[in-house]
Structures are given as C-alpha cells and as structure tokens.
Amino acid sequence: MATAAIDGTALTPVGACPAEVREILHAAASGAEMTFEQALLLATADGSSLEALLAVADQLRRETVGDAITYVVNRNINFTNVCFVGCSFCGFGRGPGAADAYSLPFEEVVRRAREAWERGATEVCIQGGLPRDLEGFFYRDLLRAIKQATPAMHVHAFSPMEIDYGVMKTGMPLRDYLQMMKDEGLGSIPGTAAEILDDRVRKELSPNKLPAARWVEIITTAHDLGIPTTSTMMYGHVEEPADWVRHILLLRAIQKRTGGFTEFVPLGFIHENTRLYHHGGARPGAKREEHLRVHALARVLLHRAIKNLQVSWVKLGFETSLACLQAGANDFSGTLMEESISKAAGATFGEYVSPEEFRARIRSIGRVPAERTTTYKIRRTFDQPENDLRPSAAQLPMLQLENRVTYTEGAY
C-alpha cells in the first residue's frame, strides 16, 4: 500500500483524488473536526478517493502510535449460551431446553482462567447469554471467584447489556452496581452490545436490546468511575454509511468528555447462521473494500480522540486484517484461546493464534510486534526476529488453519 503524503502532490494518492476529498483529508490530518456531510463523503469514497482515505489513515496511524502492532495474550470464556434476548444477528443464543444449551459452573470458569494465567495470558474476557433465571448477584460472584483464584489477572467482562441485566436483577442503582463490580476487581468492560447506536437500526436487529441511550449511560457511568471500556461497531448488515458516521461521531463525543475508551473495534457482521440474513433482512456481510473503508474512516474520524484501532482477526481473517493494519489500524486483538459467539454465527478463521504467529504475521508487513496489556501498556516489544523462535511454554494446541473459526463479539 502506498505511503501517505498529505501534502497532496500529484504523484501521491491524496494528490490524485478529487479536490473536495483532498481538502477534507487535509483538514482531518490537521485535527479539524469534520461535519457530518464531510464524513459521509469519506464513508462512501471509492476509486482514487478511497485510495487517498486509506493512505491518510495509515499516515495518521503512524503519527499517532508509530509502527508497532500490538496484541494481548488473553482467553475468552463464554460461560453460557442460554439467552432470551433473541437478537436476529446472533447465531450463539439458545433456549434453556435446547440440546446444545450449556452453562459452565463457576469451578470450570475459574479453571479456565487459572489455566490461561499459567499459559501466559494477562486477560480473561468473560461474556455470555442472558438466562431468565440468572441469580441477582451472579456476575459479582463470578468475578469474585475469578479474582480470588487469579488475583493478578485482568478481568475484561460483562457487556453493557449484561451490566443492565445485573442492575435489573439486583435492583441496585447503576452507579452503585458498577462501583461494586469495580471494588470486586472488574478491570474493564467490553464495549459490545453497541451494534449501531441508532434505535431505528437497533429495532431491526433486536427489539429486546437495550436502547442506544442506555448503552451510552452505562458506558459513561463506567468511565466516570474509572472503569475503562472498549468501543465497537457492527457493520455489514442493514445499516448504511450514514449510520457509521453517526455512530463513530457519537463515540468521539463520548471520548472527548470521558477519555474512557481504550480502543475502537469495527466488527464485520458474520451472516451465515443468523436469522437476520436467512430471512432476507441483511446483506451477506462486508466485502474487502468495505472493511478497509470502515477501518480507515474510523482512524480519520477518531484522530486525536481514540488512538487505538483494533482489527478483529477472527472476523476478517489474516489477509484482510493485515490490509486494515495498513489502512489505519494498529492492534491485532488477542490470542483468544477459545470463544463461541462468532463461531456459532458461522465464521471460519480461528479459535487460537499463538503469540509467535501474531509476531510472524506482523513482521510480514514490515512492522514491529509488541505485546500489550488490556489498557495498552507495552509489556514487551519484539525488536529482534530471533526472539520469535522461542516458543511460549505450555501453549494450547494450534488448530489447523482451515478449521479455524471466526467470532461475532468476543474479547472486545
């Protein structure tokens, strides 16, 4: 991919694009906030305009976070697939009587967390379905059990939908509930359950999902209490580019007020096993060009707001992930070890990637690998390729590449 030259000379991608797009990109690179109309023009860019957007996004990435590509060693634990919400885009949830319904006992969740720690993970991501018979303080008690077994493990857990359910089940005020969870060791919250933060779109996807305003309230309250969160957007279904713009600009506005987002993660819709697609309500996910456009758009719109942009390798596969990492993104996500949500939706790329494989993929595009914590503190930068030859101890068995499975909402 061509290196950006924001000076706009004729031989660069920026210089070759239409003047209107060039002016917008110059302003964005200088830190100016775009109007909705300007952002929408970038969201629908193609041809020379798209090439210019990708190039500028890559240069903004370089200026903001440098050439390192980070990753985290983590494990996903989806503790139940029993769920009453019935999201049309989800292939994961089951009724309590389904033959393949499951709920892991605390002991098994704790065992997996301890095993992950022993294998080098610094984070466990805990999410699951919403069973009707969930005990009021289930989330608190699960968190407490994990932290008692692995006190130093960062617990990245419970989407805003789960937080809302915990509040409803306990009857506690939201702020008090979140403070309790923080006191019990909750390190951060996945910014999932966002999909598209527009109630018109949300009603098409899942009428039972929490409204956009409630998602914002939960996220901002967490930030006010010092609990960081990620942020996400699901694209490639019933939404339009204008919805991307509104969603990303809303996240930017939240970040300007709270500073609590650690990263933004675009999540491509996995369509194969979902009602939304099979009933004719959605397109079959995004194509490569759309993945690139969304990631580059996010980098440009979130410039000087959310500095870390993550690819979901489990949704994109390695080839497209690496392309997005040359179009504004800077983080390769996590090793995962296992996860079930996107797998159930029909994704096809993987359950586990070793740190060594991450580093090899990162080096293949001339970038420097770095292992990070959940909150983007660098644990180790791998400047020398020979360090990659030493395998990590006690790794999980690698799956065959062709059998790997992609996920919908995992450790984000």
Side-chain angles (χ1 to χ4, degrees), residues 217-246:
E217 181 186 13
I218 291 167
I219 288 291
T220 55
T221 304
H223 292 178
D224 289 346
L225 292 171
I227 305 171
T229 77
T230 63
S231 58
T232 66
M233 179 181 77
M234 187 176 74
Y235 64 95
H237 43 90
V238 302
E239 90 297 348
E240 298 177 351
D243 298 310
W244 306 341
V245 172
R246 281 187 284 266

PDB file of all heavy atoms in Angstrom, residues 217-246:
ATOM      1  N   GLU A 217     -25.333   5.589  28.591  1.00  0.00           N
ATOM      2  CA  GLU A 217     -25.370   5.861  30.035  1.00  0.00           C
ATOM      3  C   GLU A 217     -24.472   4.888  30.805  1.00  0.00           C
ATOM      4  O   GLU A 217     -23.720   5.294  31.708  1.00  0.00           O
ATOM      5  CB  GLU A 217     -26.807   5.765  30.547  1.00  0.00           C
ATOM      6  CG  GLU A 217     -26.936   6.050  32.039  1.00  0.00           C
ATOM      7  CD  GLU A 217     -28.342   5.812  32.570  1.00  0.00           C
ATOM      8  OE1 GLU A 217     -29.159   5.197  31.861  1.00  0.00           O
ATOM      9  OE2 GLU A 217     -28.614   6.232  33.719  1.00  0.00           O
ATOM     10  N   ILE A 218     -24.543   3.613  30.460  1.00  0.00           N
ATOM     11  CA  ILE A 218     -23.731   2.611  31.157  1.00  0.00           C
ATOM     12  C   ILE A 218     -22.249   2.854  30.901  1.00  0.00           C
ATOM     13  O   ILE A 218     -21.425   2.836  31.829  1.00  0.00           O
ATOM     14  CB  ILE A 218     -24.154   1.195  30.727  1.00  0.00           C
ATOM     15  CG1 ILE A 218     -25.551   0.892  31.269  1.00  0.00           C
ATOM     16  CG2 ILE A 218     -23.151   0.143  31.210  1.00  0.00           C
ATOM     17  CD1 ILE A 218     -26.198  -0.347  30.663  1.00  0.00           C
ATOM     18  N   ILE A 219     -21.902   3.102  29.649  1.00  0.00           N
ATOM     19  CA  ILE A 219     -20.504   3.330  29.292  1.00  0.00           C
ATOM     20  C   ILE A 219     -19.954   4.584  29.976  1.00  0.00           C
ATOM     21  O   ILE A 219     -18.854   4.576  30.551  1.00  0.00           O
ATOM     22  CB  ILE A 219     -20.361   3.439  27.759  1.00  0.00           C
ATOM     23  CG1 ILE A 219     -20.543   2.061  27.100  1.00  0.00           C
ATOM     24  CG2 ILE A 219     -19.023   4.066  27.372  1.00  0.00           C
ATOM     25  CD1 ILE A 219     -19.447   1.071  27.368  1.00  0.00           C
ATOM     26  N   THR A 220     -20.692   5.665  29.926  1.00  0.00           N
ATOM     27  CA  THR A 220     -20.189   6.917  30.508  1.00  0.00           C
ATOM     28  C   THR A 220     -20.137   6.845  32.027  1.00  0.00           C
ATOM     29  O   THR A 220     -19.238   7.432  32.646  1.00  0.00           O
ATOM     30  CB  THR A 220     -21.038   8.117  30.051  1.00  0.00           C
ATOM     31  OG1 THR A 220     -22.419   7.879  30.361  1.00  0.00           O
ATOM     32  CG2 THR A 220     -20.892   8.346  28.554  1.00  0.00           C
ATOM     33  N   THR A 221     -21.063   6.123  32.641  1.00  0.00           N
ATOM     34  CA  THR A 221     -21.006   5.948  34.095  1.00  0.00           C
ATOM     35  C   THR A 221     -19.780   5.140  34.478  1.00  0.00           C
ATOM     36  O   THR A 221     -19.079   5.454  35.453  1.00  0.00           O
ATOM     37  CB  THR A 221     -22.284   5.275  34.620  1.00  0.00           C
ATOM     38  OG1 THR A 221     -23.429   6.037  34.236  1.00  0.00           O
ATOM     39  CG2 THR A 221     -22.257   5.152  36.145  1.00  0.00           C
ATOM     40  N   ALA A 222     -19.492   4.089  33.715  1.00  0.00           N
ATOM     41  CA  ALA A 222     -18.280   3.307  33.955  1.00  0.00           C
ATOM     42  C   ALA A 222     -17.044   4.195  33.844  1.00  0.00           C
ATOM     43  O   ALA A 222     -16.155   4.168  34.707  1.00  0.00           O
ATOM     44  CB  ALA A 222     -18.201   2.146  32.971  1.00  0.00           C
ATOM     45  N   HIS A 223     -16.987   5.003  32.805  1.00  0.00           N
ATOM     46  CA  HIS A 223     -15.844   5.903  32.630  1.00  0.00           C
ATOM     47  C   HIS A 223     -15.722   6.874  33.805  1.00  0.00           C
ATOM     48  O   HIS A 223     -14.617   7.132  34.307  1.00  0.00           O
ATOM     49  CB  HIS A 223     -15.988   6.695  31.336  1.00  0.00           C
ATOM     50  CG  HIS A 223     -15.868   5.866  30.094  1.00  0.00           C
ATOM     51  ND1 HIS A 223     -16.012   6.412  28.825  1.00  0.00           N
ATOM     52  CD2 HIS A 223     -15.627   4.543  29.904  1.00  0.00           C
ATOM     53  CE1 HIS A 223     -15.862   5.453  27.928  1.00  0.00           C
ATOM     54  NE2 HIS A 223     -15.630   4.313  28.557  1.00  0.00           N
ATOM     55  N   ASP A 224     -16.853   7.408  34.250  1.00  0.00           N
ATOM     56  CA  ASP A 224     -16.826   8.358  35.367  1.00  0.00           C
ATOM     57  C   ASP A 224     -16.278   7.708  36.638  1.00  0.00           C
ATOM     58  O   ASP A 224     -15.683   8.383  37.485  1.00  0.00           O
ATOM     59  CB  ASP A 224     -18.236   8.893  35.633  1.00  0.00           C
ATOM     60  CG  ASP A 224     -18.727   9.843  34.550  1.00  0.00           C
ATOM     61  OD1 ASP A 224     -17.899  10.298  33.733  1.00  0.00           O
ATOM     62  OD2 ASP A 224     -19.950  10.109  34.506  1.00  0.00           O
ATOM     63  N   LEU A 225     -16.470   6.392  36.765  1.00  0.00           N
ATOM     64  CA  LEU A 225     -15.982   5.660  37.936  1.00  0.00           C
ATOM     65  C   LEU A 225     -14.564   5.139  37.746  1.00  0.00           C
ATOM     66  O   LEU A 225     -14.031   4.444  38.620  1.00  0.00           O
ATOM     67  CB  LEU A 225     -16.924   4.492  38.244  1.00  0.00           C
ATOM     68  CG  LEU A 225     -18.320   4.865  38.750  1.00  0.00           C
ATOM     69  CD1 LEU A 225     -19.219   3.638  38.817  1.00  0.00           C
ATOM     70  CD2 LEU A 225     -18.226   5.529  40.124  1.00  0.00           C
ATOM     71  N   GLY A 226     -13.960   5.442  36.614  1.00  0.00           N
ATOM     72  CA  GLY A 226     -12.602   4.987  36.361  1.00  0.00           C
ATOM     73  C   GLY A 226     -12.507   3.582  35.824  1.00  0.00           C
ATOM     74  O   GLY A 226     -11.443   2.952  35.902  1.00  0.00           O
ATOM     75  N   ILE A 227     -13.586   3.072  35.265  1.00  0.00           N
ATOM     76  CA  ILE A 227     -13.578   1.751  34.635  1.00  0.00           C
ATOM     77  C   ILE A 227     -13.462   1.970  33.127  1.00  0.00           C
ATOM     78  O   ILE A 227     -14.400   2.469  32.491  1.00  0.00           O
ATOM     79  CB  ILE A 227     -14.859   0.956  34.932  1.00  0.00           C
ATOM     80  CG1 ILE A 227     -15.099   0.840  36.431  1.00  0.00           C
ATOM     81  CG2 ILE A 227     -14.785  -0.438  34.291  1.00  0.00           C
ATOM     82  CD1 ILE A 227     -16.469   0.259  36.793  1.00  0.00           C
ATOM     83  N   PRO A 228     -12.329   1.629  32.514  1.00  0.00           N
ATOM     84  CA  PRO A 228     -12.212   1.820  31.064  1.00  0.00           C
ATOM     85  C   PRO A 228     -13.054   0.815  30.298  1.00  0.00           C
ATOM     86  O   PRO A 228     -13.406  -0.252  30.815  1.00  0.00           O
ATOM     87  CB  PRO A 228     -10.721   1.599  30.803  1.00  0.00           C
ATOM     88  CG  PRO A 228     -10.269   0.710  31.919  1.00  0.00           C
ATOM     89  CD  PRO A 228     -11.119   1.070  33.112  1.00  0.00           C
ATOM     90  N   THR A 229     -13.377   1.156  29.068  1.00  0.00           N
ATOM     91  CA  THR A 229     -14.132   0.255  28.203  1.00  0.00           C
ATOM     92  C   THR A 229     -13.550   0.320  26.790  1.00  0.00           C
ATOM     93  O   THR A 229     -12.862   1.275  26.430  1.00  0.00           O
ATOM     94  CB  THR A 229     -15.624   0.625  28.107  1.00  0.00           C
ATOM     95  OG1 THR A 229     -15.778   1.748  27.223  1.00  0.00           O
ATOM     96  CG2 THR A 229     -16.225   0.957  29.454  1.00  0.00           C
ATOM     97  N   THR A 230     -13.855  -0.697  26.021  1.00  0.00           N
ATOM     98  CA  THR A 230     -13.625  -0.618  24.589  1.00  0.00           C
ATOM     99  C   THR A 230     -14.848   0.017  23.936  1.00  0.00           C
ATOM    100  O   THR A 230     -15.846   0.313  24.595  1.00  0.00           O
ATOM    101  CB  THR A 230     -13.371  -2.007  23.996  1.00  0.00           C
ATOM    102  OG1 THR A 230     -14.544  -2.808  24.176  1.00  0.00           O
ATOM    103  CG2 THR A 230     -12.189  -2.695  24.669  1.00  0.00           C
ATOM    104  N   SER A 231     -14.776   0.216  22.636  1.00  0.00           N
ATOM    105  CA  SER A 231     -15.940   0.651  21.868  1.00  0.00           C
ATOM    106  C   SER A 231     -15.967  -0.151  20.573  1.00  0.00           C
ATOM    107  O   SER A 231     -14.917  -0.525  20.047  1.00  0.00           O
ATOM    108  CB  SER A 231     -15.892   2.154  21.563  1.00  0.00           C
ATOM    109  OG  SER A 231     -14.711   2.500  20.844  1.00  0.00           O
ATOM    110  N   THR A 232     -17.155  -0.446  20.085  1.00  0.00           N
ATOM    111  CA  THR A 232     -17.293  -1.291  18.902  1.00  0.00           C
ATOM    112  C   THR A 232     -18.382  -0.754  17.980  1.00  0.00           C
ATOM    113  O   THR A 232     -19.190   0.098  18.368  1.00  0.00           O
ATOM    114  CB  THR A 232     -17.671  -2.748  19.289  1.00  0.00           C
ATOM    115  OG1 THR A 232     -18.987  -2.756  19.867  1.00  0.00           O
ATOM    116  CG2 THR A 232     -16.670  -3.349  20.262  1.00  0.00           C
ATOM    117  N   MET A 233     -18.390  -1.268  16.767  1.00  0.00           N
ATOM    118  CA  MET A 233     -19.481  -1.013  15.822  1.00  0.00           C
ATOM    119  C   MET A 233     -19.610  -2.236  14.929  1.00  0.00           C
ATOM    120  O   MET A 233     -18.613  -2.698  14.358  1.00  0.00           O
ATOM    121  CB  MET A 233     -19.201   0.222  14.961  1.00  0.00           C
ATOM    122  CG  MET A 233     -20.311   0.517  13.937  1.00  0.00           C
ATOM    123  SD  MET A 233     -19.949   1.974  12.897  1.00  0.00           S
ATOM    124  CE  MET A 233     -18.744   1.280  11.742  1.00  0.00           C
ATOM    125  N   MET A 234     -20.806  -2.774  14.800  1.00  0.00           N
ATOM    126  CA  MET A 234     -21.040  -3.889  13.888  1.00  0.00           C
ATOM    127  C   MET A 234     -21.567  -3.341  12.558  1.00  0.00           C
ATOM    128  O   MET A 234     -22.526  -2.562  12.534  1.00  0.00           O
ATOM    129  CB  MET A 234     -22.053  -4.875  14.483  1.00  0.00           C
ATOM    130  CG  MET A 234     -22.214  -6.144  13.645  1.00  0.00           C
ATOM    131  SD  MET A 234     -23.328  -7.361  14.398  1.00  0.00           S
ATOM    132  CE  MET A 234     -24.930  -6.589  14.107  1.00  0.00           C
ATOM    133  N   TYR A 235     -20.940  -3.749  11.474  1.00  0.00           N
ATOM    134  CA  TYR A 235     -21.295  -3.239  10.151  1.00  0.00           C
ATOM    135  C   TYR A 235     -21.412  -4.404   9.167  1.00  0.00           C
ATOM    136  O   TYR A 235     -20.926  -5.510   9.421  1.00  0.00           O
ATOM    137  CB  TYR A 235     -20.245  -2.236   9.669  1.00  0.00           C
ATOM    138  CG  TYR A 235     -18.866  -2.836   9.467  1.00  0.00           C
ATOM    139  CD1 TYR A 235     -18.438  -3.288   8.220  1.00  0.00           C
ATOM    140  CD2 TYR A 235     -17.986  -2.990  10.536  1.00  0.00           C
ATOM    141  CE1 TYR A 235     -17.187  -3.865   8.043  1.00  0.00           C
ATOM    142  CE2 TYR A 235     -16.729  -3.563  10.376  1.00  0.00           C
ATOM    143  CZ  TYR A 235     -16.348  -4.000   9.122  1.00  0.00           C
ATOM    144  OH  TYR A 235     -15.100  -4.584   8.952  1.00  0.00           O
ATOM    145  N   GLY A 236     -22.076  -4.144   8.049  1.00  0.00           N
ATOM    146  CA  GLY A 236     -22.211  -5.167   7.019  1.00  0.00           C
ATOM    147  C   GLY A 236     -23.551  -5.867   7.030  1.00  0.00           C
ATOM    148  O   GLY A 236     -23.690  -6.950   6.457  1.00  0.00           O
ATOM    149  N   HIS A 237     -24.581  -5.260   7.626  1.00  0.00           N
ATOM    150  CA  HIS A 237     -25.893  -5.908   7.756  1.00  0.00           C
ATOM    151  C   HIS A 237     -26.983  -5.027   7.149  1.00  0.00           C
ATOM    152  O   HIS A 237     -27.140  -5.017   5.929  1.00  0.00           O
ATOM    153  CB  HIS A 237     -26.167  -6.262   9.222  1.00  0.00           C
ATOM    154  CG  HIS A 237     -25.794  -5.176  10.201  1.00  0.00           C
ATOM    155  ND1 HIS A 237     -26.665  -4.184  10.590  1.00  0.00           N
ATOM    156  CD2 HIS A 237     -24.623  -4.929  10.836  1.00  0.00           C
ATOM    157  CE1 HIS A 237     -26.057  -3.376  11.447  1.00  0.00           C
ATOM    158  NE2 HIS A 237     -24.823  -3.791  11.609  1.00  0.00           N
ATOM    159  N   VAL A 238     -27.740  -4.305   7.961  1.00  0.00           N
ATOM    160  CA  VAL A 238     -28.843  -3.491   7.429  1.00  0.00           C
ATOM    161  C   VAL A 238     -28.508  -1.996   7.443  1.00  0.00           C
ATOM    162  O   VAL A 238     -29.293  -1.182   6.960  1.00  0.00           O
ATOM    163  CB  VAL A 238     -30.147  -3.716   8.228  1.00  0.00           C
ATOM    164  CG1 VAL A 238     -30.535  -5.181   8.212  1.00  0.00           C
ATOM    165  CG2 VAL A 238     -30.015  -3.216   9.673  1.00  0.00           C
ATOM    166  N   GLU A 239     -27.362  -1.649   8.000  1.00  0.00           N
ATOM    167  CA  GLU A 239     -27.009  -0.241   8.172  1.00  0.00           C
ATOM    168  C   GLU A 239     -26.507   0.353   6.860  1.00  0.00           C
ATOM    169  O   GLU A 239     -26.221  -0.350   5.897  1.00  0.00           O
ATOM    170  CB  GLU A 239     -25.958  -0.096   9.286  1.00  0.00           C
ATOM    171  CG  GLU A 239     -24.505  -0.169   8.860  1.00  0.00           C
ATOM    172  CD  GLU A 239     -24.079  -1.507   8.259  1.00  0.00           C
ATOM    173  OE1 GLU A 239     -24.823  -2.504   8.343  1.00  0.00           O
ATOM    174  OE2 GLU A 239     -22.975  -1.557   7.689  1.00  0.00           O
ATOM    175  N   GLU A 240     -26.360   1.672   6.849  1.00  0.00           N
ATOM    176  CA  GLU A 240     -25.831   2.400   5.705  1.00  0.00           C
ATOM    177  C   GLU A 240     -24.632   3.236   6.157  1.00  0.00           C
ATOM    178  O   GLU A 240     -24.435   3.444   7.369  1.00  0.00           O
ATOM    179  CB  GLU A 240     -26.917   3.311   5.116  1.00  0.00           C
ATOM    180  CG  GLU A 240     -28.125   2.533   4.598  1.00  0.00           C
ATOM    181  CD  GLU A 240     -29.229   3.448   4.084  1.00  0.00           C
ATOM    182  OE1 GLU A 240     -29.115   4.686   4.299  1.00  0.00           O
ATOM    183  OE2 GLU A 240     -30.193   2.931   3.496  1.00  0.00           O
ATOM    184  N   PRO A 241     -23.821   3.740   5.231  1.00  0.00           N
ATOM    185  CA  PRO A 241     -22.663   4.541   5.624  1.00  0.00           C
ATOM    186  C   PRO A 241     -22.995   5.717   6.552  1.00  0.00           C
ATOM    187  O   PRO A 241     -22.196   6.061   7.429  1.00  0.00           O
ATOM    188  CB  PRO A 241     -22.102   5.022   4.283  1.00  0.00           C
ATOM    189  CG  PRO A 241     -22.450   3.910   3.342  1.00  0.00           C
ATOM    190  CD  PRO A 241     -23.805   3.440   3.779  1.00  0.00           C
ATOM    191  N   ALA A 242     -24.153   6.314   6.379  1.00  0.00           N
ATOM    192  CA  ALA A 242     -24.532   7.416   7.271  1.00  0.00           C
ATOM    193  C   ALA A 242     -24.619   6.948   8.717  1.00  0.00           C
ATOM    194  O   ALA A 242     -24.309   7.711   9.650  1.00  0.00           O
ATOM    195  CB  ALA A 242     -25.865   8.022   6.830  1.00  0.00           C
ATOM    196  N   ASP A 243     -25.016   5.683   8.908  1.00  0.00           N
ATOM    197  CA  ASP A 243     -25.090   5.139  10.266  1.00  0.00           C
ATOM    198  C   ASP A 243     -23.694   4.964  10.859  1.00  0.00           C
ATOM    199  O   ASP A 243     -23.497   5.168  12.064  1.00  0.00           O
ATOM    200  CB  ASP A 243     -25.832   3.798  10.257  1.00  0.00           C
ATOM    201  CG  ASP A 243     -27.267   3.929   9.782  1.00  0.00           C
ATOM    202  OD1 ASP A 243     -27.977   4.810  10.301  1.00  0.00           O
ATOM    203  OD2 ASP A 243     -27.674   3.164   8.892  1.00  0.00           O
ATOM    204  N   TRP A 244     -22.718   4.584  10.027  1.00  0.00           N
ATOM    205  CA  TRP A 244     -21.331   4.502  10.521  1.00  0.00           C
ATOM    206  C   TRP A 244     -20.893   5.862  11.053  1.00  0.00           C
ATOM    207  O   TRP A 244     -20.310   5.951  12.132  1.00  0.00           O
ATOM    208  CB  TRP A 244     -20.350   4.108   9.423  1.00  0.00           C
ATOM    209  CG  TRP A 244     -20.619   2.869   8.653  1.00  0.00           C
ATOM    210  CD1 TRP A 244     -21.429   1.823   8.998  1.00  0.00           C
ATOM    211  CD2 TRP A 244     -20.054   2.544   7.372  1.00  0.00           C
ATOM    212  NE1 TRP A 244     -21.396   0.865   8.011  1.00  0.00           N
ATOM    213  CE2 TRP A 244     -20.566   1.276   7.019  1.00  0.00           C
ATOM    214  CE3 TRP A 244     -19.166   3.190   6.521  1.00  0.00           C
ATOM    215  CZ2 TRP A 244     -20.212   0.656   5.809  1.00  0.00           C
ATOM    216  CZ3 TRP A 244     -18.810   2.581   5.332  1.00  0.00           C
ATOM    217  CH2 TRP A 244     -19.331   1.319   4.984  1.00  0.00           C
ATOM    218  N   VAL A 245     -21.163   6.886  10.254  1.00  0.00           N
ATOM    219  CA  VAL A 245     -20.692   8.223  10.605  1.00  0.00           C
ATOM    220  C   VAL A 245     -21.307   8.687  11.914  1.00  0.00           C
ATOM    221  O   VAL A 245     -20.610   9.162  12.825  1.00  0.00           O
ATOM    222  CB  VAL A 245     -20.998   9.219   9.472  1.00  0.00           C
ATOM    223  CG1 VAL A 245     -20.694  10.644   9.921  1.00  0.00           C
ATOM    224  CG2 VAL A 245     -20.197   8.859   8.219  1.00  0.00           C
ATOM    225  N   ARG A 246     -22.628   8.536  12.040  1.00  0.00           N
ATOM    226  CA  ARG A 246     -23.283   8.972  13.277  1.00  0.00           C
ATOM    227  C   ARG A 246     -22.741   8.200  14.478  1.00  0.00           C
ATOM    228  O   ARG A 246     -22.515   8.772  15.559  1.00  0.00           O
ATOM    229  CB  ARG A 246     -24.800   8.796  13.153  1.00  0.00           C
ATOM    230  CG  ARG A 246     -25.485   9.911  12.352  1.00  0.00           C
ATOM    231  CD  ARG A 246     -26.997   9.787  12.407  1.00  0.00           C
ATOM    232  NE  ARG A 246     -27.461   8.716  11.538  1.00  0.00           N
ATOM    233  CZ  ARG A 246     -27.865   8.892  10.277  1.00  0.00           C
ATOM    234  NH1 ARG A 246     -27.825  10.106   9.734  1.00  0.00           N
ATOM    235  NH2 ARG A 246     -28.305   7.879   9.554  1.00  0.00           N
TER     236      ARG A 246
END
